[in-house]
Amino acid sequence: MNAPVTWLYVPGDRPERFGKAVASGADVVIIDLEDAVAPAAKDAARRNAVAYLSGPREPGVQVHVRVNDPATARGRADLAAVAQVADAVRLPKVESAAVLDGLDGVPAYALLESAAGIVAAGRIAAHPNVAGVALGEQDLAAELGITGEQAMNHLRLQVVLAAAAAGLPPVPMSVYPDVKDEAGLLASCRAGRALGLFGRTAIHPRQIPVIRRAFRPTEEEAARAAEIVAAAQEAERAGRGAVALPDGRFVDAPVVARAHRTLALSHHLTDPPNSSDPVSPA
């Protein structure tokens, strides 16, 4: 099964938008208790999240919760409230593996948003309570004073390597803040895909079809994958261990496995859903 492609944030203090977010076509909805919520509204946001997650939900869409900094009392209270009802939690500002020790029974996605988090990425990704890792690029760029893509790509690759080495799913891209710049979003997603990043968090449903389009295999990629899969099936029927393509090239098992994933992803993203329902940025 392919990893999620689209992850949509919805503010925890806007419960009337939770259902719209789930219906938006996103693979994962993230109820945000952190950056999208003013301090005075955070307790109410937590109650909203618990109430929604405790009730009946549409099947097929995971609902995660981004809690407040787990090193704070508020963050710990968030975790205690949502751990038994959320499909997963997203932990902001993770800087060491130690912060993950207290989690039990709920998948956790660690957000690396600081220099300390990047330095510890390998240890964090390898922690048994971690289901995935992601970058908080805006906070990271602000801390390090980064203004160029070359430097940020270096950090992205470090996290991609840490996730892969730990056997985690591919790392999704951070949010693209300009919801009206669809061309820029598409180009950014394609550049991230070339680095090994996969999927992206969104702050508005209008970004979802663009993200899906960016990560959908091209016709050439799908055709190539189909050729590899067909050759592998023919080799299996003939009892041959080696898989030879019509042009004479040989491919090994990892290439065949990737071809299967490409075809599954192409099928999954054939008809990108569209939505114009407003969901405020996180």
Side-chain angles (χ1 to χ4, degrees):
M1 183 175 179
N2 284 296
V5 180
T6 51
W7 315 61
L8 178 65
Y9 277 112
V10 57
D13 60 346
R14 301 303 298 269
E16 74 279 4
R17 296 181 177 177
F18 294 174
K20 291 181 178 181
V22 169
S24 67
D27 297 312
V28 178
V29 168
I30 306 167
I31 298 177
D32 191 15
L33 306 183
E34 195 210 15
D35 286 348
V37 181
K42 286 184 180 289
D43 289 343
R46 183 196 299 147
R47 292 192 295 269
N48 293 338
V50 172
Y52 178 78
L53 292 165
S54 299
R57 289 192 271 142
E58 290 294 325
V61 180
Q62 295 186 51
V63 180
H64 297 184
V65 177
R66 180 166 72 172
V67 300
N68 286 281
D69 185 348
T72 66
R74 186 180 295 279
R76 291 190 292 271
D78 289 342
L79 282 171
V82 306
Q84 300 305 312
V85 290
D87 294 320
V89 293
R90 293 175 74 83
L91 308 179
K93 302 174 177 61
V94 176
E95 296 189 334
S96 76
V99 76
L100 301 155
D101 290 341
L103 296 177
D104 186 27
V106 59
Y109 288 80
L111 304 181
L112 310 180
E113 305 181 83
S114 66
I118 297 298
V119 170
R123 294 187 296 277
I124 292 168
H127 196 285
N129 289 335
V130 170
V133 294
L135 275 166
E137 292 189 1
Q138 295 185 54
D139 286 355
L140 187 59
E143 177 184 334
L144 299 179
I146 291 175
T147 59
E149 283 294 293
Q150 184 175 357
M152 187 58 72
N153 283 344
H154 175 69
L155 301 177
R156 290 166 180 152
L157 282 171
Q158 289 188 57
V159 179
V160 167
L161 287 169
L168 296 179
V171 179
M173 299 182 71
S174 187
V175 297
Y176 190 83
D178 189 345
V179 299
K180 295 183 179 180
D181 182 13
E182 295 186 0
L185 172 60
L186 183 65
S188 175
C189 287
R190 287 176 172 164
R193 182 185 177 201
L195 291 172
L197 298 162
F198 181 81
R200 189 162 204 160
T201 50
I203 54 176
H204 195 287
R206 71 187 295 169
Q207 295 179 312
I208 291 171
V210 181
I211 295 169
R212 289 171 63 95
R213 190 188 330 148
F215 287 95
R216 184 171 66 234
T218 65
E219 291 183 5
E220 294 77 12
E221 289 169 336
R224 179 67 170 173
E227 181 182 57
I228 291 171
V229 168
Q233 291 170 341
E234 174 58 28
E236 183 177 3
R237 285 192 295 267
R240 298 192 305 269
V243 178
L245 300 180
D247 61 10
R249 283 181 290 173
F250 285 83
V251 295
D252 56 13
V255 175
V256 175
R258 181 175 181 178
H260 279 287
R261 292 195 299 269
T262 297
L263 290 180
L265 183 62
S266 180
H267 177 74
H268 174 59
L269 298 179
T270 296
D271 297 308
N274 203 346
S275 174
S276 58
D277 290 340
V279 177
S280 292

